[in-house]
Amino acid sequence: MSTMALNCEIKTVDQMTRQECDYWQGFQRVNPELASPYFDLGYARILAGLRADTRLAVLYQNGTPAAFLPFHASRFGFARPLSGPMGDHHGLICEPFTRTNGALRKGLPSFTYHGALASQALFHDKAQQRQPSWVVDLSAGYDAYLDDRRKADAKAMRNIRSRQRKLNEGDFNIVYRLDDTRPDALAHTLAVKRAQYAQTRATDVFTAQWSNQLVETLFATDGSGLRGRLSTVEVDGQIIAAHFGMQNRDILHYWFPVYDPAWSKFGPGLTLFLEIARQLAEEGVSAIHLGPGDMDFKKRLANTHFDVVSGRWFASSLTAAVVRTGELIDTTARALPLGPASHWPGKAFRRLGKMSAVHGF
């Protein structure tokens, strides 16, 4: 695509014209990199209804929409990806190989990202970190997927299947629900997830009202479009593992898994995952996106991946100066012989950044 006569306009999602909505959906159809539910127009619309700081950068070429970038505009001048730390994937909604020629950075002077598509030059040109985002490809069917995993890591798959058989062959009343529509089951899942966050001292994304409303809105949505999907495995009336994810027509994004540690010898989380994968493959779902991260289960379950990048761009501003000062403090501390304490400033700044993104500061 030519990059001549490009200009950028910032607007709200509800200011989009019908033509712009058609272009967005058309870009997603022709660009396979935009298969994730995160790139669905419906997702941006839901966030716009929940967070007043939701904005849209629209790149035009001679008056015709060429690309869209949804984001949150913080009160302190930061632009962040849609849904903050809950947003595993983000990037330009556009045709493949679209280049912005600097026009988008002029219209959006600051943007900090953590899971942008590495294939898009806008992001990899300023990237500080690159990592794989793991994918379970089910396009050849569930049996083919299992066979591939057995060949890649026979010992791990034998262990997983052994635990699965142990649970299924035990003297239990087991109920698998791919679509668990019970509100109390969702409440239980989120409560267990929040307890897990507290125990591991991870950022609790559900401290904000909008994140709870996002899950509840997706959970209440049915049909073939964008929706939430709660899956559970119940033993003798007790939920021992659950997962809440987001799905469009072709992709399930694996989002919030939980399990009861008292049942860990049965591998309830992995057992539920395999049941989810089996049933989704039967429905014709092509892939499960596990997202980025160094977790061992993602590497073992995934049979492919695509790369995402973290980075930012900043125009000269007070916001940029504050960020660079924080980085200097972190770099200086890590260079000093302080032992574990040398990493404290960096950890503190990263935690502050995540909490600011959750609460829209």
Side-chain angles (χ1 to χ4, degrees):
M1 187 189 93
S2 169
T3 55
M4 297 178 60
L6 290 171
N7 67 287
C8 181
E9 180 181 335
I10 307 299
K11 58 172 60 179
T12 60
V13 175
D14 63 3
Q15 289 175 328
M16 292 179 70
T17 66
R18 176 62 182 270
Q19 181 198 41
E20 289 168 347
C21 293
D22 290 342
Y23 267 90
W24 179 311
Q25 293 168 331
F27 291 152
Q28 195 175 23
R29 282 194 298 271
V30 300
N31 191 344
E33 295 183 332
L34 304 179
S36 167
Y38 280 115
F39 297 115
D40 198 290
L41 177 57
Y43 190 67
R45 284 173 168 162
I46 291 173
L47 265 300
L50 299 177
R51 292 186 53 165
D53 63 351
T54 305
R55 296 291 184 273
L56 188 64
V58 186
L59 195 64
Y60 297 95
Q61 182 179 30
N62 300 324
T64 301
F68 303 91
L69 180 66
F71 65 96
H72 295 302
S74 83
R75 66 194 74 173
F76 293 114
F78 290 98
R80 298 189 180 96
L82 211 60
S83 64
M86 293 175 69
D88 286 342
H89 299 144
H90 36 273
L92 290 174
I93 291 88
C94 60
E95 291 182 340
F97 313 115
T98 296
R99 298 188 67 89
T100 68
N101 202 27
L104 195 142
R105 288 179 187 161
K106 291 178 183 178
L108 187 63
S110 73
F111 189 64
T112 301
Y113 51 92
H114 56 266
L117 296 175
S119 59
Q120 296 185 341
L122 175 70
F123 303 107
H124 74 63
D125 286 352
K126 294 290 185 179
Q128 297 172 320
Q129 181 184 11
R130 187 184 187 108
Q131 62 180 324
S133 188
W134 305 101
V135 176
V136 172
D137 182 356
L138 297 171
S139 59
Y142 180 69
D143 290 338
Y145 162 70
L146 278 187
D147 186 56
D148 174 82
R149 290 297 83 207
R150 289 190 193 102
K151 292 176 181 177
D153 195 340
K155 182 178 178 180
M157 289 308 296
R158 279 198 304 269
N159 184 42
I160 293 171
R161 295 305 299 274
S162 174
R163 292 184 177 192
Q164 186 181 39
R165 285 193 299 270
K166 188 183 296 184
L167 178 64
N168 290 333
E169 294 171 1
D171 187 21
F172 306 120
N173 179 24
I174 304 173
V175 178
Y176 290 97
R177 293 183 176 92
L178 181 62
D179 285 302
D180 195 331
T181 59
R182 299 173 298 173
D184 59 332
L186 177 65
H188 170 81
T189 301
L190 297 185
V192 173
K193 194 65 182 178
R194 297 198 66 182
Q196 183 186 85
Y197 287 143
Q199 184 178 13
T200 59
R201 298 187 177 182
T203 301
D204 183 353
V205 296
F206 294 111
T207 57
Q209 185 179 21
W210 69 265
S211 54
N212 292 272
Q213 292 174 329
L214 171 61
V215 168
E216 291 166 1
T217 300
L218 289 166
F219 179 68
T221 303
D222 54 18
S224 59
L226 182 73
R227 62 186 177 117
R229 202 159 195 177
L230 176 66
S231 303
T232 59
V233 55
E234 197 171 86
V235 174
D236 296 336
Q238 173 190 352
I239 293 177
I240 65 166
H243 167 258
F244 181 81
M246 175 172 57
Q247 184 182 334
N248 58 14
R249 185 169 59 89
D250 297 317
I251 307 292
L252 173 74
H253 188 83
Y254 196 73
W255 219 359
F256 299 109
V258 300
Y259 73 93
D260 185 343
W263 291 80
S264 59
K265 68 178 181 180
F266 294 101
L270 292 173
T271 294
L272 177 60
F273 176 86
L274 290 179
E275 183 63 19
I276 291 171
R278 184 186 68 79
Q279 294 193 43
L280 288 179
E282 290 179 356
E283 291 182 3
V285 171
S286 63
I288 300 174
H289 285 183
L290 302 177
D294 201 33
M295 285 75 84
D296 186 64
F297 85 92
K298 292 188 178 185
K299 298 177 183 179
R300 292 185 182 278
L301 293 174
N303 54 356
T304 187
H305 72 273
F306 58 91
D307 285 351
V308 294
V309 290
S310 302
R312 65 175 179 274
W313 65 78
F314 278 123
S316 297
S317 65
L318 178 60
T319 296
V322 169
V323 171
R324 292 189 180 108
T325 299
E327 289 179 340
L328 179 61
I329 293 171
D330 178 31
T331 301
T332 302
R334 284 190 284 113
L336 295 174
L338 302 176
S342 64
H343 297 280
W344 290 353
K347 289 180 179 178
F349 286 126
R350 285 189 292 272
R351 186 172 183 82
L352 178 61
K354 286 184 178 180
M355 290 308 298
S356 297
V358 168
H359 294 286
F361 295 151

